[in-house]
Every structure is written in C-alpha cells, then in structure tokens.
Amino acid sequence: MIARLVAIMARLRDPVSGCEWDVAQDFATIAPYTIEEAYEVADAIQRGDMADLKDELGDLLLQVVFHARMAEEAGLFALPDVVTSISDKMERRHPHIFGDRPEGGHYMWEQIKAEERAAKTTSGAGALDGVALGLPALLRAEKLQKRAARTGFDWPDAEGARAKVDEEIAEVEAATNAAEREEEIGDLLFAVVNWARKLGIDPEAALRAANEKFEKRFKAMEAVAGNAFEALDLDAKEALWQQVKRNGS
C-alpha cells in the first residue's frame, strides 16, 4: 500500500505534469510541516482520538515520503534506503534481541547511541553533538542537560537546580536593557528545565498541560461573562478566573 503513496508523491513532484506547489518545495520548506505533523500526532494521542490519530499518522508518513522523494531526485537516497537504515539501527540497538549480548534495555540503547555518535567523527564526538537544532527549545534544553549530566556536569540533587532558578531570577531583575533581559530570561527558562529534570518532570509535557489548563479556564471565563468579558476590568477578570478555578475548570 505504501507503494501507492510513493507513486502519488512522484506524480505530484513531476516537473512537467505535477503540482506546482509540491514541485516548488525543498527540504527546508517542508521541514516545518514535518514538525507540525508530529505535534498533531501527539495531540491526537493526548485527546485519545484514535480516528484522528490514524489520519495524523498518515500525514506524518507523507512527510517521510516527501523528503525521501526529494532526496531520490537529488541522487542522495530513496525511501527503501530510509527503511533499511532504520531497520539496521533497530537491530543494532537491540543486541539482546537480535544479537548475542545478554544485556539490553534503555541503558544499552543510550550506550550504543553514544558509540554511534563517536564513530561519526574521526576525533571523537563531543557529549552534546547530535542534539537536533530543530527540536522545541524546552525539549532541546532537557536533552542537552541530560547529555551533560552523563559526563558528571550536573547538580547532585534538585536543591542545586532550584537555587540556580533563584539566581537567574535575580539576574533578570538586575538586567538594565532589553537585550540583557532577553538573555537572562533564556537562562531562567533553561534553569527551570533543569530543575524539572531533577524532579523527574518532563518540562515539555508540563508546559503543554499548563497551556491546556489555561485555555480551558479562559474559555470558561468567556462562557460565564459572555459578550461582556472584554469590557471587564482586570480585577473583575481575576475574580472570574478564581470562580472558574473553584468550579474545577
């Protein structure tokens, strides 16, 4: 069945008879759609909408086929090469299943990943090499911190990370111009991610939940106040916020 999708993409990319929009795209212009589709998959999962998940997985698969088609046109690789690459990787990273190592699990997965990163460079890979630039900022911060922690560069407990948050707040307040404040806010966010990590909390998931909670409460406020909502002053809006919060929104 995937052959049908591959053929559709080849037709869309045909420079003579294809779709003008599809033909005009390249890796860079398609990348944002790939990221967006991955988030829409996650959203369908969080909502428990399996019918939507089926559709969103199809959209995400289309992105893989699209990138592979562009690579094939450039003489770089094709979809079968992508499938072979991930198949080889999965077997290599599960030696306790497909090989002769008795041990396995997440620790072995991470060890093998580190070995693969080191093998990609002649001088040996740095601990932070390979953390994708295109990741969401919170997720990338967490991954960078985890990589650094493997080298021993990490707080021994959550208290040190918590103190760093206080330090960064003070530096934000001491900033004297917009550029400094932006830099210090970035440091503060990075420190909060680190604190969350030390507490065993996924910061990306926590912020996503906070966004959802805010959206739910704000919509509840609008529902209570109706057309009068925007005309309310801040004190009235705050009182309404507390009301819907008490009501479980």
Side-chain angles (χ1 to χ4, degrees):
M1 284 183 285
I2 196 170
R4 179 185 173 196
L5 180 58
V6 171
I8 289 171
M9 180 51 63
R11 177 77 180 274
L12 291 173
R13 288 280 298 177
D14 187 288
V16 176
S17 60
C19 169
E20 181 179 350
W21 186 89
D22 290 277
V23 172
Q25 303 312 305
D26 57 30
F27 295 115
T29 61
I30 290 299
Y33 296 101
T34 308
I35 295 169
E36 179 181 343
E37 296 300 348
Y39 272 106
E40 291 183 359
V41 166
D43 178 67
I45 292 171
Q46 186 163 353
R47 290 184 285 105
D49 189 335
M50 294 301 103
D52 200 20
L53 176 59
K54 176 194 68 177
D55 290 341
E56 297 302 344
L57 285 172
D59 291 343
L60 185 57
L61 177 59
L62 174 64
Q63 297 300 308
V64 176
V65 172
F66 206 144
H67 284 286
R69 178 62 196 178
M70 291 188 290
E72 184 176 1
E73 292 167 357
L76 301 172
F77 57 83
L79 186 62
D81 302 307
V82 175
V83 176
T84 297
S85 178
I86 187 57
S87 297
D88 290 345
K89 182 184 294 184
M90 293 303 290
E91 290 179 349
R92 186 170 62 249
R93 292 186 181 177
H94 293 86
H96 58 304
I97 303 297
F98 301 104
D100 55 5
R101 288 195 191 182
E103 74 278 14
H106 183 70
Y107 171 77
M108 182 58 65
W109 174 280
E110 292 297 335
Q111 179 180 322
I112 294 171
K113 280 178 63 177
E115 292 170 357
E116 291 170 354
R117 286 194 298 271
K120 287 183 178 179
T121 63
T122 56
S123 59
L128 304 185
D129 289 355
V131 180
L133 292 171
L135 289 172
L138 283 180
L139 179 57
R140 189 164 194 269
E142 183 185 22
K143 284 185 173 291
L144 289 170
Q145 292 165 7
K146 285 181 176 179
R147 290 280 190 90
R150 290 183 202 140
T151 72
F153 189 68
D154 194 17
W155 299 107
D157 52 43
E159 292 304 313
R162 174 66 180 84
K164 187 66 175 176
V165 172
D166 289 335
E167 177 185 325
E168 296 299 346
I169 290 174
E171 292 184 3
V172 171
E173 293 173 340
T176 59
N177 56 59
E180 286 183 6
R181 279 189 291 274
E182 180 178 356
E183 179 180 354
E184 298 303 341
I185 285 288
D187 291 345
L188 173 59
L189 291 171
F190 193 85
V192 170
V193 170
N194 205 22
W195 186 29
R197 183 180 62 85
K198 298 301 291 185
L199 293 173
I201 295 169
D202 179 344
E204 187 78 19
L207 183 56
R208 191 161 52 243
N211 288 340
E212 183 179 348
K213 180 169 62 177
F214 178 83
E215 184 178 18
K216 180 181 178 182
R217 288 180 180 171
F218 194 89
K219 287 181 177 179
M221 290 166 60
E222 290 179 317
V224 170
N227 294 333
F229 178 73
E230 289 193 17
L232 296 175
D233 62 23
L234 184 57
D235 288 339
K237 285 186 172 76
E238 175 61 24
L240 195 55
W241 175 271
Q242 294 302 327
Q243 176 187 331
V244 298
K245 182 177 178 181
R246 287 192 300 269
N247 291 340
S249 294

